[in-house]
Amino acid sequence: MTEYTSDADSDSDYPENWPTRRRLRAHTEHQNAGHGGSAAETSTFADRIFSGADERADDGGNFTGALPSDGGLADGDLAAYRLEAGLELDRPSMPPPLPPEPVFQSVAAGSAAAATPIREAPEPQDHPVQSAGLAEPAAPPTPELPAARPAPEPASAGTPATRAEVRDRAPARRRASFLDTQTARIPATRGFRGVIASLGVRISPSESELAERRDIRAVSQHWPGPRTISVVNGKGGANKTPTTVMLAAVFARNGGGPVLAWDNNETRGTLGWRTEQGPHDATVMDLLPNTGNLLSPAAQSALLARFVHHQTEDKFDVLRSKPDVLASEQKITMADFDALHEVASKYFRLNIMDSGNDESAERWLRMIHHTDQLVIATTTVDEHAEAGALLLEALQERGGAFAQLAANAVVIVSQSNRNGTDAQIRSVAQGFEPLARATVTIPYDAALRKGQIRYGSLRSATQRAWLTAAAAVAAGLSETGPVS
């Protein structure tokens, strides 16, 4: 407890910003003397007032708690003192100040101290005034309502960044992936470059080999859902059946998965004659009455082997027609075709259809309805090329989805003459360019002229040409839908 004396120098014990302090001390001395005390004795009244010094504010500050009545001022004097001194004796306690918010120091990316929270050192507080052993504590700051923060600005180098700025910059600071997403480069395997690569020297493939790899990749794709390719020409002998077989072989050998070559010809279709026969002689007419069983949930894909003929070398299946009976005996309606196509779409990812010559037949019209990619097969014979061009023009005139099929069509021109020239086949292909999306030429190959067709029996140049043709067809399978 502090002792107050009558020495004039004791006035320096009080801050000058308390204008009523001297009067308060004089009044206290008078009260002590009236109770038998002396001015030099300890002032009980002053002690009681200043015993709450830790809770006192600056000049005009507040005291917590009521001033005790014993040994103090009378009620009237207390009211007068409070009015004159500007004191409030019963002020609610204020919440303590919030701790300082941690900040993040902006450092160079990749350093060990990146994004490490660093607290700012609190600002030094003024030391309380020491007077005759009485400490004058600093008043607690008055809390203020938080103001809305402005949008964070990028911190300059060496300037501490706030936590909000670090959080806002976090999405832009992505780490590099440990995974290698680069496609493995396979060295050359063909020609002179392939010979060098076989000796252990890694050498890149030539442009022609890279183009071949792109075509292989195109025909190896699997599309979401089944696709139907229709090979058409209104003229017989236009190379529709060899085109169907070769496309089926290329897609099956490269892409894997079930591929079906379907003879949709009711007038002496020859697809069954040009392909390998299985251990039975079933045709499309045998499959038709079993479509319900094959579409049931309990049906198994292996059951379809009773009705299709698997090609052991080229890996696709053939659904034959029955060429030894009249067309009237194997009539297929639109409803029949829909049921057959539903079975084919359930068990095969690609259906390649060899069409007949009657463009007015129900099965032909319904085939066009389900077609995703149209292929015009023709040779260098003038009649074959003219029939194919007329068909495309007729589809264009019908408009709608038929015109779209024609515009997206691929024309495959096969050299029919052993002595034919390159200029002859290019002339036919150029004539189709205004009518179709792509035209591809196939050189003459005796293995395609008669007998069963095998992809492996073709010359390498012919195989490469058919790969190019299949890649052109594949380019349109994901772009168009069936005719509605």
Side-chain angles (χ1 to χ4, degrees):
M1 181 176 297
T2 306
E3 182 178 83
Y4 296 93
T5 66
S6 60
D7 187 11
D9 294 337
S10 63
D11 291 341
S12 62
D13 296 343
Y14 301 91
E16 293 180 358
N17 58 352
W18 275 67
T20 61
R21 185 71 61 81
R22 293 174 180 171
R23 294 183 57 190
L24 177 60
R25 188 188 63 181
H27 187 78
T28 303
E29 292 174 353
H30 173 74
Q31 291 291 340
N32 288 339
H35 287 80
S38 63
E41 291 179 351
T42 304
S43 174
T44 304
F45 179 72
D47 288 344
R48 292 184 179 183
I49 291 178
F50 293 109
S51 62
D54 292 339
E55 301 172 345
R56 189 187 64 240
D58 296 343
D59 179 26
N62 303 324
F63 291 89
T64 59
L67 189 68
S69 59
D70 55 330
L73 298 173
D75 293 340
D77 295 334
L78 178 62
Y81 161 73
R82 183 172 56 189
L83 179 61
E84 181 180 0
L87 301 178
E88 292 182 9
L89 300 182
D90 292 306
R91 181 183 179 186
S93 59
M94 301 301 292
L98 297 176
E101 182 178 352
V103 299
F104 291 79
Q105 185 173 359
S106 177
V107 294
S111 64
T116 302
I118 301 177
R119 288 189 178 273
E120 290 182 338
E123 296 183 0
Q125 303 293 334
D126 294 336
H127 293 287
V129 177
Q130 303 293 334
S131 176
L134 179 64
E136 182 78 6
T142 304
E144 299 179 356
L145 294 176
R149 293 185 178 181
E153 298 181 356
S156 60
T159 303
T162 64
R163 180 167 45 190
E165 291 174 351
V166 173
R167 182 176 61 251
D168 293 341
R169 292 200 305 266
R173 227 177 45 207
R174 298 183 182 275
R175 68 171 181 83
S177 175
F178 293 103
L179 302 177
D180 185 6
T181 58
Q182 296 292 331
T183 303
R185 292 298 299 263
I186 301 175
T189 58
R190 303 289 178 85
F192 180 72
R193 290 172 175 261
V195 174
I196 297 178
S198 65
L199 299 177
V201 180
R202 295 184 63 87
I203 185 171
S204 60
S206 62
E207 287 298 325
S208 61
E209 185 173 355
L210 289 175
E212 181 179 0
R213 291 181 183 182
R214 287 192 294 268
D215 289 344
I216 292 175
R217 182 175 179 82
V219 300
S220 300
Q221 299 296 318
H222 283 208
W223 299 272
R227 296 291 189 269
T228 298
I229 302 169
S230 296
V231 182
V232 297
N233 193 316
K235 186 69 175 176
N239 219 47
K240 293 190 297 292
T241 298
T243 299
T244 301
V245 174
M246 285 294 95
L247 291 179
V250 172
F251 280 112
R253 290 168 69 100
N254 291 279
V259 176
L260 178 66
W262 179 352
D263 192 354
N264 190 39
N265 194 335
E266 58 189 16
T267 56
R268 303 290 187 272
T270 60
L271 182 61
W273 292 345
R274 305 296 306 271
T275 54
E276 182 181 352
Q277 182 176 349
H280 55 80
D281 58 357
T283 66
V284 64
M285 301 308 297
D286 298 306
L287 175 62
L288 183 58
N290 291 278
T291 54
N293 296 332
L294 291 171
L295 292 174
S296 67
Q300 299 175 340
S301 60
L303 295 176
L304 200 63
R306 299 176 180 176
F307 308 101
V308 296
H309 303 261
H310 185 64
Q311 307 301 296
T312 56
E313 295 182 12
D314 291 334
K315 311 305 179 185
F316 65 94
D317 295 327
V318 174
L319 181 59
R320 292 182 163 193
S321 63
K322 200 168 185 177
D324 55 347
V325 298
L326 297 176
S328 59
E329 298 181 14
Q330 51 179 345
K331 193 78 172 178
I332 293 181
T333 65
M334 290 188 177
D336 294 337
F337 186 92
D338 288 343
L340 291 169
H341 187 268
E342 188 174 359
V343 171
S345 299
K346 178 180 179 180
Y347 293 101
F348 297 93
R349 71 179 183 93
L350 272 180
N351 301 312
I352 305 176
M353 310 195 72
D354 181 11
S355 66
N357 304 327
D358 187 0
E359 300 170 359
S360 63
E362 290 186 46
R363 65 199 301 172
W364 193 95
L365 295 173
R366 203 58 182 168
M367 174 192 69
I368 295 297
H369 172 82
H370 290 284
T371 297
D372 296 292
Q373 176 63 59
L374 191 67
V375 175
I376 303 296
T378 184
T379 69
T380 53
V381 176
D382 295 343
E383 291 82 356
H384 298 162
E386 184 66 17
L390 290 173
L391 176 57
L392 286 176
E393 291 173 346
L395 292 174
Q396 286 281 7
E397 291 177 359
R398 295 190 63 176
F402 296 98
Q404 182 180 357
L405 273 180
N408 193 49
V410 175
V411 178
I412 301 178
V413 184
S414 298
Q415 178 60 266
S416 60
N417 188 350
R418 179 188 297 269
N419 300 320
T421 63
D422 292 341
Q424 181 186 22
I425 195 172
R426 282 199 305 267
S427 175
V428 176
Q430 290 173 359
F432 278 99
E433 288 179 357
L435 302 176
R437 172 173 60 86
T439 59
V440 184
T441 60
I442 307 295
Y444 176 86
D445 198 313
L448 295 173
R449 295 298 299 168
K450 57 182 180 180
Q452 293 185 356
I453 303 173
R454 297 288 186 274
Y455 182 84
S457 64
L458 303 178
R459 296 184 293 111
S460 58
T462 310
Q463 292 179 357
R464 182 66 184 92
W466 280 112
L467 176 61
T468 301
V473 172
L477 290 177
S478 59
E479 300 176 359
T480 59
V483 176
S484 58

